[in-house]
């Protein structure tokens, strides 16, 4: 990996010294109006972008069902003007977008009543968020970086691009550490890095784009399909629902507040469809789906299994569109991942039910099957169940782990776009794994109780955390309030489990410093 970097830098320098493109001021309206004439020119006249340097350092996934998402936030330093912080970056924001604070620089948000202290800062100072990991060996890190360079030019880890530093930090227990400054820098890259190449991601039911940046990082782009106020229609099946870009962003923040740190970094970005997608794509199938709507807006629809047609086109105003950008995990050639079928997978059928829906003792069967018969995998499933229920996500059919770590590692929480669809409904069937198995980590249980307390309050923490994103407000108030309600329901299920089976049989100890449970593989 280190050897590749000088080559990348050399090519990047060559590109910068060549025809790097005009950096002039951009006028979205004029560009949209004039694009019809550009479209009439042949591809040869327009000039397809030169073939971008392809590297093997990262990839999205080997499974169509895996849709990446994201990470990080740092401490919010002071309370600012809430109304200003909540100003949404809309398509018509224009130059206001340029002056919005960066993710790591944002201030404002809800504070602990009467104290003027950031709730997030207070939460991350709590002892439950300072539990140390076991000492890491070479077998516990995804990559072993060789600092002995044979080149005359010394390359240090600090000089790596942020996406590579993120990859190097992945270990058996977490995708990233709690206060890793690289994650804030990576989130900024997702928002600010120049997009040099765009292609459609193969597989999946809905359109997703792979975007490559100037520093050779890559991210998965999910465009905005619905407004924040639109709920999933009551007659929609979970598997036919739209994927929401704001759900991907919110899921990343929720995952970190729960201290799971299993969602790759995700940030919201306002993308210029003409300059940052159409003009840089080498994907002719994508390019051919661009058109100008009767309202004189730039639109495109791409190719996918569902919702890729002129009737479901994605249109800008006139050519600006919101979307989520999820940082890629390392390329599968460098870090293989194993895809597992979720034991509590739904039937994905309009009439049939899955076995777990009709057999109340289904969990007893799961406990007999590897890898759920030992280690922490079942506890990871319980964490994921709670995570999904708080979001209202019913679409968890598969999950992935890093192959290097075997069965003793965490579950990566990918593809969260079908969360936050209904704030007025709590889908209790998502909690079936928890109610059937009656198992939970002590650390998870205590953090859930902490997030239910008034001085922290999950909805307030999420609201403050999401202010860091360029597209804030990411969630409307009813979705924030629904998380508080659902958190109480999770605690009620666990309370009934403890009453029925006893605390020691439900709550798995993982916080004792020298215990085998905490020190064993897969525990955090």
């Amino acid at each position: 990996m280190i050897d590749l970097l000088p080559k990348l830098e050399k090519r990047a320098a060559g590109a910068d010294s060549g025809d790097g493109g005009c950096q002039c001021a951009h006028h979205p309206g004029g560009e949209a109006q004039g694009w019809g004439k550009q479209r009439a020119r042949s591809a040869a006249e327009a000039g397809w972008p030169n073939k971008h340097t392809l590297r093997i350092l990262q990839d999205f996934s080997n499974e169509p069902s895996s849709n990446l998402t994201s990470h990080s936030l740092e401490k919010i330093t002071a309370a600012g003007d809430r109304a200003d912080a909540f100003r949404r970056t809309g398509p018509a924001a224009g130059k206001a977008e340029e002056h919005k604070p960066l993710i790591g620089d944002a201030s404002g948000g809800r504070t602990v009543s009467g104290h003027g202290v950031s709730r997030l800062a207070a939460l991350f100072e709590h002892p439950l968020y300072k539990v140390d990991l076991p000492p890491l060996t070479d077998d516990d890190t995804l990559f072993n970086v060789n600092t002995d360079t044979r080149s005359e030019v010394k390359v240090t880890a600090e000089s790596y691009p942020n996406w590579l530093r993120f990859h190097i930090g992945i270990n058996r227990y977490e995708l990233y550490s709690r206060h890793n400054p690289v994650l804030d820098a990576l989130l900024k890259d997702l928002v600010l890095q120049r997009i040099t190449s765009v292609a459609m991601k193969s597989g999946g039911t809905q359109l997703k784009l792979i975007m490559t940046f100037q520093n050779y990082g890559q991210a998965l782009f999910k465009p905005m399909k619905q407004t924040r106020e639109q709920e999933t229609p009551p007659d929609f099946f979970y598997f036919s629902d739209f994927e929401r870009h704001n759900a991907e962003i919110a899921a990343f923040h929720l995952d970190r507040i729960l201290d799971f740190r299993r969602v790759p970094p995700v940030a919201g970005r306002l993308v210029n469809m003409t300059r940052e997608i159409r003009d840089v794509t080498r994907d002719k199938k994508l390019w051919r789906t661009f058109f100008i709507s009767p309202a004189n807006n730039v639109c495109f629809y791409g190719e996918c299994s569902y919702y890729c047609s002129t009737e479901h086109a994605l249109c800008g105003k006139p050519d600006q569109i919101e979307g989520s950008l999820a940082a890629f995990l390392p390329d599968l050639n460098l870090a293989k991942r194993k895809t597992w079928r979720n034991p509590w997978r739904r039937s994905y059928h309009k009439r049939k039910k899955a076995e777990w829906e009709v057999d109340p003792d289904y969990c007893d069967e799961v406990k007999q099957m590897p890898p759920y018969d030992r280690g922490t995998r079942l506890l990871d499933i319980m964490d994921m169940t709670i995570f999904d229920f708080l979001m209202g996500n019913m679409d968890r059919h598969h999950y992935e782990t890093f192959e290097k770590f075997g069965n003793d590692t965490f579950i990566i929480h990918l593809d969260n776009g079908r969360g936050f669809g209904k704030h007025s409904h709590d889908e209790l069937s998502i909690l079936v794994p928890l109610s059937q198995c009656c198992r939970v980590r002590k650390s998870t249980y205590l953090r859930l109780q902490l997030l239910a307390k008034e001085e922290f309050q999950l909805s307030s923490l999420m609201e403050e955390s999401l202010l860091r994103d360029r597209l804030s407000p990411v969630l409307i108030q009813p979705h924030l309030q629904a998380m508080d309600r659902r958190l109480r329901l999770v605690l009620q299920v666990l309370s009934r489990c403890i009453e029925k089976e006893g605390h020691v049989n439900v709550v798995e100890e993982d916080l004792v410093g020298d215990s085998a449970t905490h020190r064993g593989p897969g525990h955090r």
Side-chain angles (χ1 to χ4, degrees):
M1 296 169 70
I2 294 174
D3 289 344
L4 283 172
L5 288 173
K7 299 176 185 178
L8 296 177
E9 291 167 1
K10 184 175 180 181
R11 294 194 182 192
D16 291 340
S17 62
D19 53 344
C22 176
Q23 303 298 322
C24 319
H26 176 58
H27 303 285
E31 193 166 82
Q33 293 169 5
W35 185 68
K37 295 180 180 179
Q38 295 178 24
R39 189 167 178 260
R41 294 184 299 179
S42 67
E45 286 180 301
W48 288 96
N50 293 329
K51 186 173 182 181
H52 196 279
T53 303
L54 295 178
R55 53 178 176 75
I56 60 167
L57 287 178
Q58 53 183 339
D59 175 62
F60 172 64
S61 171
N62 60 336
E63 287 291 324
S65 60
S66 303
N67 296 326
L68 254 164
T69 79
S70 145
H71 152 135
S72 160
L73 38 148
E74 273 306 305
K75 296 180 180 179
I76 293 183
T77 54
D81 184 76
R82 185 178 176 195
D84 180 67
F86 263 81
R87 185 177 62 234
R88 178 177 170 185
T89 306
K95 294 183 179 179
E97 162 70 13
E98 300 174 6
H99 301 291
K100 186 166 183 177
L102 296 178
I103 297 163
D105 303 321
S107 62
R110 296 170 96 177
T111 58
V112 176
S113 177
H115 295 81
V117 179
S118 161
R119 290 180 191 254
L120 272 178
L123 180 75
F124 294 143
E125 287 300 316
H126 192 279
L128 281 172
Y129 289 78
K130 291 180 174 291
V131 180
D132 293 330
L133 294 178
L136 296 177
T137 66
D138 286 348
D139 291 336
D140 295 326
T141 56
L142 192 60
F143 297 115
N144 300 323
V145 181
N146 184 3
T147 57
D148 181 21
T149 60
R150 289 165 291 179
S151 171
E152 294 180 1
V153 180
K154 291 186 177 180
V155 181
T156 62
E158 288 72 22
S159 67
Y160 297 168
N162 293 315
W163 59 263
L164 182 53
R165 295 172 69 188
F166 161 56
H167 291 174
I168 291 172
I170 298 172
N171 60 62
R172 181 185 298 276
Y173 309 102
E174 60 189 3
L175 277 179
Y176 56 89
S177 57
R178 289 189 183 94
H179 303 293
N180 187 347
V182 171
L183 274 298
D184 241 12
L186 178 57
L187 287 174
K188 289 183 181 181
D189 284 350
L190 294 173
V191 176
L192 300 176
Q193 273 280 321
R194 181 167 64 87
I195 299 167
T196 59
S197 178
V198 176
M200 288 186 290
K201 182 187 179 296
S202 60
T205 60
Q206 300 181 37
L207 178 67
K208 295 174 283 288
L209 301 178
I210 297 173
M211 291 186 167
T212 304
F213 302 117
Q214 189 175 14
N215 68 351
Y216 302 98
Q218 288 185 304
L220 188 75
F221 180 75
K222 289 190 177 182
M224 177 178 176
K225 296 185 177 75
Q226 292 177 303
T227 67
R228 288 153 176 74
E229 294 74 26
Q230 286 179 282
E231 278 200 273
T232 301
D235 290 328
F236 265 42
F237 289 98
Y238 54 89
F239 49 82
S240 59
D241 193 11
F242 283 112
E243 293 180 0
R244 285 165 286 275
H245 72 300
N246 60 319
E248 294 284 4
I249 301 167
F252 162 70
H253 288 259
L254 175 62
D255 177 80
R256 188 169 191 255
I257 287 172
L258 292 170
D259 200 43
F260 293 155
R261 288 168 286 130
R262 301 166 195 170
V263 172
V266 177
R269 177 165 176 163
L270 195 65
V271 172
N272 184 293
M273 296 162 62
T274 303
R275 178 164 48 92
E276 296 182 305
I277 299 179
R278 190 212 63 176
D279 288 353
V280 298
T281 186
R282 302 187 315 276
D283 190 331
K284 294 187 179 182
K285 290 183 179 179
L286 172 63
W287 189 86
R288 291 191 187 107
T289 67
F290 275 82
F291 64 93
I292 301 294
S293 74
N296 206 35
N297 293 321
V298 176
C299 306
F300 74 102
Y301 52 88
E303 290 186 359
C304 61
S305 301
Y306 299 96
Y307 306 126
C308 282
S309 63
T310 52
E311 291 79 14
H312 298 100
L314 303 164
C315 295
K317 294 184 179 179
D319 59 357
Q320 307 286 311
I321 190 169
E322 286 186 20
S324 64
L325 277 165
F328 271 27
L329 292 176
D331 184 273
L332 295 170
N333 291 316
L334 296 173
K336 293 182 179 179
R337 300 198 297 277
K338 187 168 182 177
T339 301
W340 305 78
R341 181 187 175 94
N342 183 0
W344 280 271
R345 182 184 189 273
R346 296 178 183 273
S347 66
Y348 287 84
H349 193 279
K350 295 181 179 66
R351 293 176 299 277
K352 293 181 181 178
K353 289 189 175 183
E355 185 179 351
W356 59 267
E357 294 181 275
V358 296
D359 181 5
D361 299 321
Y362 177 76
C363 185
D364 293 335
E365 298 179 24
V366 174
K367 290 177 182 177
Q368 307 302 316
M369 303 184 303
Y372 309 104
D373 58 345
R374 58 168 296 277
T376 62
R377 183 60 60 83
L378 189 66
L379 294 171
D380 286 334
I381 293 287
M382 299 303 109
D383 285 349
M384 187 170 64
T385 294
I386 294 167
F387 175 63
D388 283 337
F389 179 69
L390 293 174
M391 295 190 297
N393 178 27
M394 302 171 66
D395 192 35
R396 190 69 67 182
H397 40 75
H398 290 82
Y399 64 86
E400 295 184 21
T401 60
F402 287 107
E403 194 172 284
K404 176 180 178 178
F405 305 134
N407 292 338
D408 299 317
T409 187
F410 62 94
I411 290 173
I412 309 170
H413 294 166
L414 300 175
D415 194 4
N416 306 297
R418 286 201 169 116
F420 299 104
K422 295 180 181 179
H423 54 72
S424 57
H425 172 71
D426 302 327
E427 185 53 53
L428 295 177
S429 65
I430 302 174
L431 276 183
V432 166
L434 189 66
S435 60
Q436 286 184 346
C437 297
C438 279
R439 295 284 298 280
V440 69
R441 281 187 173 92
K442 183 177 181 179
S443 59
T444 299
Y445 184 46
L446 293 179
R447 288 188 189 105
L448 293 176
Q449 292 177 315
L450 188 68
L451 296 174
K453 292 184 177 180
E454 185 178 354
E455 59 263 39
F456 291 107
Q457 193 177 35
L458 179 58
S459 61
S460 299
L461 291 165
M462 281 291 292
E463 183 177 18
E464 181 181 343
S465 184
L466 289 170
L467 286 175
R468 297 180 165 279
D469 194 85
R470 279 288 180 92
L471 301 183
S472 67
V474 175
L475 295 176
I476 60 174
Q477 281 295 321
H479 279 300
L480 294 169
Q481 294 162 1
M483 281 189 284
D484 289 334
R485 186 178 68 241
R486 291 165 186 165
L487 176 56
R488 290 192 295 269
L489 292 173
V490 172
L491 291 172
Q492 288 174 16
V493 169
L494 289 172
S495 178
R496 289 194 293 269
C497 284
I498 292 172
E499 183 179 347
K500 181 177 63 175
E501 300 191 17
H503 189 278
V504 69
N505 296 318
V506 175
V507 181
E508 184 85 11
E509 178 63 70
D510 69 326
L511 293 175
V512 178
D514 297 324
S515 73
T517 305
H518 177 61
R519 294 296 177 183
H523 281 79
R524 300 170 54 259

